[in-house]
Every structure is written in C-alpha cells, then in structure tokens.
Amino acid sequence: MARSPVSSRQDPDQEQFLTVLSRDEALARFEAALFPRAVPTEERMLADALGLALADDVKAPIDVPPFDRSNVDGFAVRAADIATASEALPARLLLNRETIACGVAPQLPVLAATATSIATGGPVPRGADAIIMVEHTQPTEDDAIEVRRGASPGQFISHAGSDIARGEVLLRAGTVIGSREIGMLAACGIALATVARKLRVAVLSTGDELVQPGHLLRPAGIYDANGAIVSAAVTENGGEATFLGAFADDEATLEAVMREALATHDMLILSGGTSKGAGDVSHRIVNRLGAPGIVAHGVALKPGKPLCLAVCGGKPVVVLPGFPTSAMFTFHDMIVPVLRRMAGLPPRTEAQVAASIPLRIPSELGRTEFVMVSLVEAEQGLVAYPTGKGSGAITSFAQADGFISIEALADNMPAGSEAAVTLFTPHVRVPDLVVIGSNCTGLDLVVGALFRAGLTVRSIAVGSLGGLAAAKRGECDIAPIHLFDAKTQSYNAPFLSAGLELVEGWRRMQGIAYRPGDARFEGSDAEEALRAALADPDCMMVNRNQGSGTRILIDRLLGPARPDGYWNQPRSHNAVAAAVAQNRADWGVTIAPVARSAGLGFIPLTEEHYDFALVSARKERPAVQAFLAALATPEIHAALERAGFSRPN
Amino acid sequence: MARSPVSSRQDPDQEQFLTVLSRDEALARFEAALFPRAVPTEERMLADALGLALADDVKAPIDVPPFDRSNVDGFAVRAADIATASEALPARLLLNRETIACGVAPQLPVLAATATSIATGGPVPRGADAIIMVEHTQPTEDDAIEVRRGASPGQFISHAGSDIARGEVLLRAGTVIGSREIGMLAACGIALATVARKLRVAVLSTGDELVQPGHLLRPAGIYDANGAIVSAAVTENGGEATFLGAFADDEATLEAVMREALATHDMLILSGGTSKGAGDVSHRIVNRLGAPGIVAHGVALKPGKPLCLAVCGGKPVVVLPGFPTSAMFTFHDMIVPVLRRMAGLPPRTEAQVAASIPLRIPSELGRTEFVMVSLVEAEQGLVAYPTGKGSGAITSFAQADGFISIEALADNMPAGSEAAVTLFTPHVRVPDLVVIGSNCTGLDLVVGALFRAGLTVRSIAVGSLGGLAAAKRGECDIAPIHLFDAKTQSYNAPFLSAGLELVEGWRRMQGIAYRPGDARFEGSDAEEALRAALADPDCMMVNRNQGSGTRILIDRLLGPARPDGYWNQPRSHNAVAAAVAQNRADWGVTIAPVARSAGLGFIPLTEEHYDFALVSARKERPAVQAFLAALATPEIHAALERAGFSRPN
C-alpha cells in the first residue's frame, strides 16, 4: 500500500525541498555545475545538416563565382569598342571563332574590335570587359555583329570572387544551418560540415498511475502526457529524444533504468507522475548517480515549484513537476537554455509582443508566476486573456498563444496593465474570428465549417456575462449568450447594450440528466424528479460554476435547498454529464445533446435560446460575414438538428 | 559544340517564353490546374507526427482528467463540515480507513464528518467536495484529524472533463502538430494520428557546367548549389526531398530520369543550369510528360522571369531559374504555397516588419521586383539596406533578413519610403553590433572574437563613404573607414563630423599584386612596375569599384591613363587578387594580406590607416564596448600581425 501523505511529510528526504531557491539562483547553480564544457561534434553531409549548428567557422575554399561570369546570353566585348555605337553609326565587331557555352573554357582572347559569343553562365574571355545582350546585336553575313548601343564596362559580368571570396569567413561557428546556409556551402563545393551533434536526451516518466497512450485506461489511471510532450519539446529544441516509458515507484528498477539512460545519453529528464511518492524515489536515486548531485530542488516558480535540477558525473539530470503545464513552463524556462547551450545552439529567440490585460490577475507573492494567455486583437492593440483552467490543464497550454510572468514581488497584475507576452511560437497569427462567451457543443459545428473554409477561429469560453463584457470592450466579434430575463420573460435581447445586435442562434433543451434505470428519476417529469432527489439524503447532485447561465437555472430550480454535491461546480455541460455517468453524482442539469451523447437519461426542463451578440462595428469583417452565412446554411441546420438542437420558431 | 545563343534565339520553342504572364496570373493558372485535390494521408505514431498536419478533426475519446482529481496532498472532505472551523474551534473529522494514492480507486464514500487521506493526482471519493492540504490539518491519536480553517467547495479539485471533455473537438484538421498538440493527444490516450503525409518532391539540376559539392571543380565548371538549396527548402516547408543529382543536356537521359521521378514522386522540381540550352531541353521534355503540360513559362518577376510551371498528369513540374537567388525567390513566392496546400499544411505565416529605405532603389517597370535587404535598428525604427550583390549572388540571399517587393508599376522605391519587409525567418534578431563601411579581412578577426563571445555582428560592406553616411544617420554603431585627405595629408580624422569619434584600427599595406615570375613586375619598385605595365599594351589591369578607398588610390596612381582592364571593377580586395591569380588580369591593387594569401607577388604602394568612426551616442552599448575591448587584446594584435596587418605607431 502506498504511504500516506501524512507520513511522507515527516520524511527527512523532504527537507531539501524546503530550501526553495529563486529562479535565477537555481538556474545559476545549474549552469555553474555544467559549464564551461566542450560541444560534441560530428561530420554530416549537407543534406543531413539542416537545423544543426556549425561547430567551427567555415572559410570559403574557392572564389564564387570561380571565374568572371556572363549573366546573359550575348557577346563578350570590349566596352571601349562600342562606346560611340548608335542606331545611326553601329559598331562592327568581328566574331572570334569560338562560342562559350556553360562549362566551356574560353581559348581565345577578345582583342580590340572583336566579340565572342557567350551563354549565360559562361566564363568571360580575357580581354573582354562587358557583355552585350544578344537582343541588342545584329549578325552580319561575314561572321561579324553590328552593335547599336554602348555598354558600360563590367556590364552583365559577375566578377570572380564577387559573391564569395576565397579565404573569407563564410559562416561562423554556432550558425544554425538553414537552406540558405546550405546554398552557400554548396556553392563553395563543401559537401561535409562539422556540426554540433544533436544532444541525446533520455526521457522517462514516473508514477504508478500512468498508462501509455494507446493502452486501455484502468480505473484511477491517467494517460502519460508528459513523456510524449517532453520528448517532442526536446526535438523541437534541436535535441534527439529517446522516450524510455513510464515506470512505477519501484526503486531498484527505476535506478537501473536511470543509470543505463545516463550512461548512454547526454541528459536525463524525468517527469514525475503527480504522486509525491514517485518524486521521493527519483530524488533519492538522483543523489546516488554522481557528483555533485542535486543543485536545486524547489524553485520559486508558479507553476513549477517541485522542479529538481541535478548534475551527475557532468551530465544534467532533471526531474520536472508532474502536471503537464508545470512540466512545460519549467522545461521552457529552465531546461531549454541549458540544452541549447550544451548543443552549441544559439539561445532561442523568443518573440515577445506587448498586450494589455483586460482583467486583474491575482498572483502569489514570493514566486515568479507564469500565466498563460490567448491573444485577441482589439482596436487599441492586442489584449491578453488568461486561459484559466489551472496548472493541471493540458488544454490551457495548447490553446494559449504565450504567457506573461508576474514577478515574485507582485501579488497581482492589475486590469489595464501592459504586459510582455512571450510567445510559444515565434509569431502570433491573430485569428480571423474571435468568439468569447458561453460555449455550446453546437458552436463546434459552426466553427468547424469555418475552419474547413480556411478561417481561423478563436473561441474562448467565459460564460454569457463575460462574453457580453468582452463584446462591449470590442475584444471579440461575437459573444454567444443564453441569458434569461425574468422581468420580460425573454432571452438575451434585454441584455444587449448600444453597439451590439442580436443574431438568432438555436434552441437547446436544458434538463436533468441521470443514469438510465435510476428509479428516482426514470419516468418522472421535472417536478417529480426534483422532489425525489431532494427527498433522498444519499442522492447527490452536481452543480455548475457561478456565472454560467445553467447555474442561474439550477438556483431557480432548487430555491433554498442545498443538497449534497451542490458545491461541486464544474465549468461545462460535458463535465456535468461525466460526473453523473461516472457515478460521482446522481443528477445534474445539462443540455440534451450532451446528456444524450453521454448515454444518460434526460428530463427536459426548459428550452434555452442560445443566440449571438454581434459587435455592430465588426459586422462587415469577412470572417463575421462567413459566420453569419454558415449559420444560415441548410448543412449547419441539419447538423444542429442531428446533434439535438432545434431552430428558432 | 553547344549552339550559339544567336541560333537558339530563333528556336520556335522559345515562343512560349515570350508570353510573359503577371505573377498573379501565372500562380492562378498553376493552382487552377492542380486544385481541388485530395490530400494524401497516413497514420503515424505521435512521436513521428511532429511537424505534420492533422488530416481530420480529432474528438476527445475520454474526459481529461478522467475523474475528479485532487491537486494537492491532503484530505478529501465535505466543505460544509468545516465551514465554521477556526483556530479556536477546530473541526474534527474521522478518518476513513483508506488512503487514496495515485492510481488507486477509492472504495469508501466520504460521509458527513469524515475525511479520506488523498495524494496529489488521486481520484476524489464520492461525497467529498473539497480537499484540504495536509499542512492545514493536525492528526489526532484516535484516527481523526483536526482542521482549523474552512475550505470553499471544489477547493483543490480538478473536475472530470474540466480540462478536456469527451466528445469535444480537440484539434481540427490542418492543425500542425507541435509538442503542445502532442500533449493534448497523449492526455486523451491517442497514440496514432491520421496526418497529411509529407509530399514527396524529386529535385534535379540540369546544366553541363554543374559539379556536385565534394568533387573537384573543372575549368569553367561551377558547383551545383541549387540542388542542395532547393532540397533543403523543400524540407523546411514540410516536404520530403529526393535529390537526384545534376544532369547534362542529354535529352534522352534527362527524359528517362524525369519520367521515373514523376512516377515515384508527388512533384518534380528542376533547376536549370544557367545555360539556355539546358533550359530548352527540359521544357521540351516537360511538354511531353502529360497534360495539360506547361501552364506558364515566363513570369513578370525580377529576378525569376524564366520560371516555368507545368502540371503533367495531375502532378506539378517546375523549372526554376538557374541563378540560386532567382530560384529561391520564385520557389518561396510561387512554389511553396502550392506545395503546402497539396500537403494539407496551412499557409506559411510569413512575418512582415515595417522598415524605412535609406537609399533610392531603382526597379524595372512591368515586373514585380524582389530586393533583398538587411535590417538594422536606428533610433526611428528599422532600416532596410539592400544587399546589393545582384541576382546571381548566393551570399545576398544568405545574408539578407528578408526582401521587399516593388510592384510592377513602379520604376523605383524612393529613399525614405516605408516598406514591408517579408522575413526569410519568422523573426528578426536585430544584431548586437552593426558595422557598416569599408570591409577588411582584418575585421573578420575582430568580429570572429565577438561572435565566439556570443555576440551577433552584422557587417555590411558599402565602402568608407557609405559607412560614414550610415553612421551619421545613426544606422550603425561603427563605420570602418580608410579615407585619405590630400589637403591635410592624413587619414580618416578630417572626415569625421559631429557625433562621431575616431578609434584607431590598424595599418594595411596597399600595393600592386602580380603573378610571381612576371618579369614586368618582379624585382621592381612601384614606379618601375607601373611604367612597365603601361608600356605593354598586352598588360591587363583589374580595377576596383568606384567609391572604394582603393579606387581613389588607383586613380591617383594612373593619372589620365586608362589601360586595358580599367573597366573591370570588382568590389573586393579578394576579387582583385583572384583576377590576377587566375590570369584574367596581370596586375591590380590590393592589400598585402590578401595578395599573400592568394600566393601573388606584391609591390608596396602606401600604408593605409584602417580606423573606425564610432557613433558617440552608441558608445556605451555593451556590444560596442566589447568591440573596443577586443580591439585592445594582445590576442587580436597577434592575429592581425600574423595576417599581415600592422599596428598604429
């Protein structure tokens, strides 16, 4: 049986973790233990050197072009001979008895009043100092040409060495080889390059609960995302990753694997499962793998505090935190610079953009805090929305454009701040259409149609009220809403302010979802079902997050009652259905299409109007027009109906 | 013997070339002949799918997390039980007899006034709606805990499906798979992805003069750069390139190779040698390979006019122009969009930056003209310098940051214009140090030292006067100059204006370079040598470009004489030495280190002062300080002396 967290708390191994270092101090200790060191090199054929860094300066072994070269088809001449040539008084040049094609070395000099036929790329013969284009000459019958215009000396000639001069430094050590560098090397005849070889990085995951993708998920198991994501991020940063798999907390097995990995690789990266026990085991092993061992364990980063940095026998050993996003922040912030430096690669040039922060973001004092953001374009510039699913969420990372960091000494970033956003990819592609507000599985159908038409859509789910606020600030094109106004007994329209207009969406049935066969609900109407649920103290509900339209509906339904499970407040229709389907709750309120796709029973409550608040000023934008057009197509109507949504009357 | 360009001019095959299409019309015809078409797909393991585009939408097969998950080590509780807990009045909760570690499914519900020990990542048991951290509890001796603070419901719980909800569209078709996307797929347990497979592109070069890198260059031969650069550019754009080699103008062989390549690949890209003959052969063959054949031959692009676009049996066949830069512009502008679209990849998001143009750039009316530029940062923003070596130069391409295009209807871009620069790489890294002015092989030694210290240096050779002008405009940190003032009989200092200060560099001996053993020069002093050269009408000189300091020296030396070769005006010391060494000229003026490294005889003329005009306002920048420090090191002094430069007295 696994140890209880209570006992692990008193474990002396934990003490080191209590010495939390600042980010800069931790990185400095890590680098001091690793550098200076030689960069491992290897010889590669040009075609296999793409993306690698040159290990040495490369000097040009030859001149490029290797000879004075003609840039056109025509005749090699002496410019002085045709200096006074004109339509009225053409110059006559006797043709030398050779034709210089590409690859043909000239044998005869161009003497005064003569010319030699030459092809583009041919070597200019001695004596000639200009090329005249064939179009500007007239052959005569006695092996001569007439020229009716002058030429400046050097015309249409690329001089030997004018592109690359023998002996000049062509490319410097550390230059990353792209297609342009390959062109320069090839033009000089260089076929082999000495490059910094890729760093060999062993990646392994630890944790009893981990299941590899492609295998069946057992109860309480989770899929190992870190193994794949760390390996891919190593590859993206020029390393060569070997993923060794996920290992349970068996100390002997794990130590053997780690020793073997370290012997055959340049670097070892573990990512802990989320279990503390797993972490303890790997840290104990790391400290036995070689001097100096752990140099930092516990860094004042949020997320990322449990990061452990070690150097064992000259090789870095890293234990990343278990949550994928924590693992990725710390990997990008602390490991990538070291990995690139060890591999002779230049520092990653991470593009930053300035953006304003629309909402106050709280932050923990004393830790450098990373906050992922999505960028949208408003009139006054870029706006950075926090992608707020928390550090455990893999989707926050994948859907964010980048992150801001809030320094350790600040306890928040105020609304309206200007912040530097570090981009995950080196350029932002601002989406064609921005949709902020309530989410709906029906919206996916419309967005999918736009996506297939080549438009990019960013959809940020912040609830109906949040969407209306964003629309008023001009931060989105469209805010999907489903808000009931009790006074007018109508949906959505009463909530629109100036500058917004309503576009009808679709209707969706809200109702009570329950597991099929549950006698408390089966065959009941809504009133009976609710009465039965509240009467049974063992009957547990699942709620929704505050601010959602569904929550308003639930609170109206319950009145003052607070049944068990009321405080379980997930953020989506899907999460409610999942809680019921998985027996973590017995009932919840969700929309019919979601209940149906989860295989649940469903008792209708009320048909909601899911509509769109359109920012009038942005209505003429092509993507908005495309959205409105898609909404009106029979294909979308049919798809919505198949999914269980109905059209406005 | 190769055909003369005069006869090829009348070749009927050439007629099509006379129908020059606009860029847009050519691209439209090419795309119309290719699209719509299905994207070829394949299944790949996640780890091998990095950088590929998803072929289909991917829906989440499971909820992530798959269960309500604890985010901390602690106890699963009912929030209502501890709502009123405080230091004064702790709540007491009886421990349930299980401990939920990672991967362990809970067996017991959390009933009122009970708690269950749970580890980070463990599944929350039924009944619990909050986790309280182990640090905020106190164990009692009778298997209970005391809690001294409340918890909000949902605290430290990630609800099932809150990250990814089963059934939601996780990633859309066309999304390029990066490490973040791999993380999302792995988290859902997806191990195989259906992706658009890489497009198989056959690349071959044609031309009698081509020699593959790594082989000995024969007379009049040039190295095949296009084969390597096109293959690499295909790889960089997500294709899979097969380079088939370079082929001479043998029509039967070439046709067999092309037919075989087209049968086994998705696309065929030829790059002509620079010879017209080679081009004719491949175009004739292309028209026999399948319908519709050539759709555009001759496009109003500069450089790039000879581009030939064909579609044969549904597959694109492209003949790129022979000069590497022409080949690359047309490849990036016209071929990449088609290649990516065929491969199901999104359009390349090419970053553009705005920059001002410091000098008037002339352009040809009627053709869209591409001009490569280097970017430097001035006070008022980015400045784009044309990298002016002409379309044949591979270095212009490699050293440029990007390009501007001048529309077909304009005959120039005026100085001071704002232009959009399309970047070759998606982000600009403005160099740490910008050096604009006269070039010197000695400067390479100093720059190399800075580069090794991790600084990036951009060195643009525009001559001394051009450098001074750039320095006055604040576009560089340092302008290397060697200008002689006849009035004061001194170097450099008289040319400095306000805001610039002089830093001493080194001395370099200018002199007459000649082939060793040439009796006209051997053993002579400068005056004798010049007399001998001018007396012999067969004795040919090589000059330097106007505006260079060396040209001023040569013109002073020659007086009114204009010997043969005067109009051969290459741009570098190295090119002068190459012309003499290769017997294209008999003498020229260059600096001693260059003459020596080319193995030439050398008659000293005058010792020049090669100094640096420093922009005072930029003196304190770290890179400038590093430059000044490097200049003062004994290592650099020794290296300069070894190379043949001498220090100021």
Side-chain angles (χ1 to χ4, degrees), chain A residues 153 159 163 349 395 427 567-568, chain B residues 153 159 163 349 395 427 567-568:
Chain A
H159 289 283
D163 191 352
T349 54
T395 42
H427 42 90
W567 298 109
N568 182 354
Chain B
H159 289 284
D163 191 351
T349 54
T395 43
H427 42 90
W567 298 109
N568 182 355

Side-chain angles (χ1 to χ4, degrees), chain A residues 351-362:
Chain A
Q352 287 202 330
V353 293
S356 71
I357 306 298
L359 323 153
R360 177 179 182 278
I361 306 174

Side-chain angles (χ1 to χ4, degrees), chain A residues 300 302 362-369 406-412:
Chain A
K302 186 179 178 181
S363 168
E364 187 178 320
L365 259 178
R367 285 162 77 184
T368 302
E369 182 155 350
I406 305 178
E407 59 174 23
L409 296 176
D411 71 351
N412 78 90

Side-chain angles (χ1 to χ4, degrees), chain A residues 6 9, chain B residues 72-75 77 82 85-87 90-91 93 131-139 145-151 155-156:
Chain A
V6 179
R9 177 80 192 145
Chain B
V72 294
D73 289 339
F75 297 92
V77 300
I82 57 172
S86 66
E87 285 295 332
L93 302 174
I131 311 295
I132 184 139
M133 288 173 82
V134 64
E135 291 90 325
H136 301 147
T137 63
Q138 192 64 44
I145 52 169
E146 283 187 355
V147 182
R148 293 190 154 72
R149 59 170 83 190
Q155 173 178 288
F156 300 133

Side-chain angles (χ1 to χ4, degrees), chain A residues 451-465:
Chain A
F451 203 94
R452 281 189 295 279
L455 293 170
T456 57
V457 181
R458 165 149 300 146
S459 170
I460 304 178
V462 296
S464 297
L465 288 169

